């Protein structure tokens, strides 16, 4: 006789737990990467806006 009964699904449950854990980690990595890229995009937009305003200030001050 074997140690496991025919309806023992502990291996299946363990595999499901590991898969759920990997899925949660994957979604957390995706969310973190998206957040970092979003923040970088916002910073780049602010830097570009400041550069445009500074350039306009220089052009306007040269015409005075």
């Amino acid at each position: 006789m074997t140690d496991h009964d025919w309806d023992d699904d502990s291996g299946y449950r363990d595999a499901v737990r590991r898969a759920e854990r990997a899925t949660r980690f994957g979604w957390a990595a995706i969310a973190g990467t998206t957040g970092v890229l979003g923040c970088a995009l916002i910073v780049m937009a602010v830097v570009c806006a400041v550069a445009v305003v500074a350039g306009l200030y220089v052009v306007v001050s040269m015409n005075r």
Side-chain angles (χ1 to χ4, degrees):
M1 246 2 212
T2 61
D3 291 337
H4 299 290
D5 197 16
W6 66 273
D7 62 349
D8 181 24
D9 59 352
S10 61
Y12 171 77
R13 279 183 267 157
D14 184 46
V16 168
R17 275 191 223 110
R18 283 186 281 130
E20 288 173 347
R21 192 177 318 127
T23 302
R24 280 193 306 269
F25 175 77
W27 279 114
I30 291 169
T33 303
T34 303
V36 167
L37 289 175
C39 289
L41 182 64
I42 291 170
V43 167
M44 288 280 294
V46 169
V47 167
C48 288
V50 168
V52 167
V53 169
L56 288 173
Y57 178 77
V58 168
V59 169
V60 168
S61 67
M62 287 175 60
N63 289 334
R64 285 186 176 186

